[in-house]
Amino acid sequence: MPSFEHQKSKALNDYAASVRVGDVDGKLIPVLDLINSLDDFYTTSSCSGRITLLEDRGGKGLNKFLGKWHRHVTVEEVLNALHSGSGTAWFKCEPPILHVIARTPEKADRLLHEAREAGFKRSGLQSLNDGRNVLELLSTEVIHAPVMAEGEVAVTGEYLKLLVDSANLKLDDGAVKLRRLEERIKSGLK
Amino acid sequence: MPSFEHQKSKALNDYAASVRVGDVDGKLIPVLDLINSLDDFYTTSSCSGRITLLEDRGGKGLNKFLGKWHRHVTVEEVLNALHSGSGTAWFKCEPPILHVIARTPEKADRLLHEAREAGFKRSGLQSLNDGRNVLELLSTEVIHAPVMAEGEVAVTGEYLKLLVDSANLKLDDGAVKLRRLEERIKSGLK
């Protein structure tokens, strides 16, 4: 297993490349930059929160995205995406998620504490294998509702509007949590 | 901080008392008994999965359960419970969740691995504070759909039936995962 410094340097190169090609959501960049500026941590795959339409084919590798957005959506674009589906499909809102590698389990625990205080309530240390302490910081803005069953759209226009409005609000709540996470890390870990 | 043995003995007493008064879901008992039979672990609060109706008042302490079931539900009982609500309410299906204390971070990591292999994909070590290594083992059977907005029922009878049928299926899936977790622990940790 390469040293923490070696792993981090490689991860920072990958991160810089992703930022350059516009692959990292602007809402994430301040908090990722902050975490990467700390000696004992670096970030890997992260997402600022998203709205998705998922065709459920019975397993993670088998499922298919009919739509995926990192911004507010409209009823029209969700309906358009849904019409290409078949079988069972779900409308989902997923909260911000950050993956962070910590130098030690103790450092991981410090960050976990700040993350939980910032409202990332579903956070945990996922693995300590071979000295790689992998943290997942996960917030709580969730929607997970069936919208297609047996190939038929299962929601009325009015209910789909409720789903879309709720998801757009939760996306905004997630962005607030990201700023709160940044503040907690600044005051607690820097 | 009391020794691990001391903590465990107290936790086992609490657990036995909960089982005696019928407070522990029968679907959970085999896997909890198994974990508690291992030298390096003991369980705390756990749930085999549930279906809930939650009135959303803007925060965890403020929200109110309109209904909570650890078994299949019918459209009628959900509607009855929903009619006592106001404002915003959500229909939720929550996956099996187990909280386990491990003697060391390394032992925690071993159990995390088996849990993930059993389909408890959202599992993590939540805290290592003061030598108390707190694991949350969480599966993936989730529904989270708005069913009341501004005090009005927001779903048709047909859509509510889809929610109820989906949730009942997911509850069954959760029970299968609990048995799979038991098998993985038996083969990997015993």
Side-chain angles (χ1 to χ4, degrees):
Chain A
M1 169 73 51
S3 73
F4 182 84
E5 269 67 28
H6 188 84
Q7 294 169 41
K8 177 164 178 171
S9 142
K10 190 175 171 322
L12 289 188
N13 281 337
D14 293 349
Y15 171 63
S18 295
V19 171
R20 261 198 312 276
V21 297
D23 235 15
V24 183
D25 192 321
K27 290 195 288 289
L28 269 175
I29 293 180
V31 68
L32 296 185
D33 280 348
L34 174 65
I35 295 171
N36 285 320
S37 79
L38 303 172
D39 274 352
D40 299 314
F41 303 97
Y42 65 88
T43 62
T44 66
S45 62
S46 301
C47 172
S48 65
R50 62 185 190 179
I51 298 170
T52 63
L53 266 182
L54 192 72
E55 197 177 282
D56 184 351
R57 296 175 174 181
K60 199 170 180 184
L62 308 166
N63 296 344
K64 179 188 160 197
F65 285 109
L66 305 172
K68 198 190 302 188
W69 303 271
H70 292 84
R71 53 159 176 83
H72 284 201
V73 293
T74 65
V75 169
E76 290 67 34
E77 52 192 351
V78 173
L79 259 186
N80 282 343
L82 184 56
H83 281 135
S84 68
S86 61
T88 303
W90 296 80
F91 177 90
K92 295 176 66 172
C93 175
E94 295 173 270
I97 185 169
L98 282 78
H99 290 100
V100 182
I101 317 295
R103 189 188 293 267
T104 65
E106 291 69 32
K107 294 288 178 182
D109 192 56
R110 287 280 311 279
L111 180 53
L112 268 183
H113 174 76
E114 302 302 336
R116 208 160 289 125
E117 291 292 317
F120 283 69
K121 302 282 184 195
R122 297 243 73 102
S123 299
L125 188 46
Q126 293 203 310
S127 152
L128 304 110
N129 271 334
D130 301 321
R132 235 176 93 88
N133 305 292
V134 182
L135 281 160
E136 181 173 276
L137 310 184
L138 184 65
S139 188
T140 54
E141 293 71 26
V142 171
I143 296 175
H144 202 131
V147 285
M148 175 171 273
E150 294 173 3
E152 303 286 334
V153 174
V155 286
T156 61
E158 199 179 355
Y159 185 72
L160 190 57
K161 183 172 183 328
L162 176 61
L163 285 179
V164 162
D165 290 346
S166 305
N168 289 341
L169 274 176
K170 281 183 189 283
L171 224 52
D172 294 343
D173 291 346
V176 170
K177 291 269 188 81
L178 281 172
R179 291 199 296 276
R180 203 179 297 163
L181 179 63
E182 196 187 336
E183 292 309 316
R184 289 287 321 187
I185 294 175
K186 268 187 190 154
S187 62
L189 284 176
K190 217 162 145 77
Chain B
M1 169 72 52
S3 73
F4 182 84
E5 269 69 27
H6 188 86
Q7 296 169 41
K8 177 165 179 171
S9 145
K10 189 176 173 320
L12 288 188
N13 280 339
D14 293 349
Y15 171 63
S18 295
V19 171
R20 263 198 311 277
V21 297
D23 235 16
V24 182
D25 191 322
K27 289 194 288 291
L28 270 174
I29 292 179
V31 67
L32 295 186
D33 280 350
L34 174 64
I35 294 172
N36 285 320
S37 79
L38 303 173
D39 274 349
D40 298 315
F41 303 96
Y42 65 89
T43 61
T44 66
S45 62
S46 300
C47 171
S48 64
R50 62 184 190 180
I51 297 170
T52 63
L53 265 182
L54 192 71
E55 197 177 282
D56 184 350
R57 297 174 173 181
K60 199 170 180 184
L62 308 165
N63 295 344
K64 180 187 160 198
F65 285 108
L66 304 172
K68 199 190 302 187
W69 301 271
H70 292 84
R71 53 161 175 80
H72 283 200
V73 294
T74 65
V75 169
E76 291 67 33
E77 50 192 351
V78 173
L79 259 187
N80 283 341
L82 185 57
H83 280 134
S84 67
S86 60
T88 303
W90 296 81
F91 177 90
K92 295 174 66 172
C93 176
E94 297 172 89
I97 184 169
L98 284 77
H99 290 100
V100 182
I101 316 294
R103 189 188 294 268
T104 64
E106 292 67 32
K107 294 288 178 182
D109 192 55
R110 287 279 312 279
L111 180 51
L112 269 182
H113 174 75
E114 300 302 337
R116 209 160 288 125
E117 291 293 317
F120 283 69
K121 301 281 183 194
R122 299 242 71 102
S123 300
L125 188 46
Q126 294 202 308
S127 152
L128 306 109
N129 272 335
D130 301 322
R132 234 176 94 88
N133 305 291
V134 182
L135 280 161
E136 181 173 277
L137 309 184
L138 184 65
S139 188
T140 53
E141 293 72 25
V142 172
I143 296 175
H144 201 132
V147 285
M148 175 171 274
E150 296 173 1
E152 304 286 334
V153 174
V155 285
T156 62
E158 198 178 355
Y159 185 72
L160 191 57
K161 183 171 182 328
L162 176 61
L163 285 180
V164 161
D165 290 347
S166 305
N168 289 341
L169 275 176
K170 281 182 189 283
L171 225 52
D172 294 344
D173 291 345
V176 170
K177 291 269 188 81
L178 280 171
R179 291 200 296 277
R180 202 178 298 163
L181 179 62
E182 196 187 338
E183 291 311 315
R184 288 287 321 187
I185 293 175
K186 267 185 191 153
S187 62
L189 284 175
K190 222 172 139 74

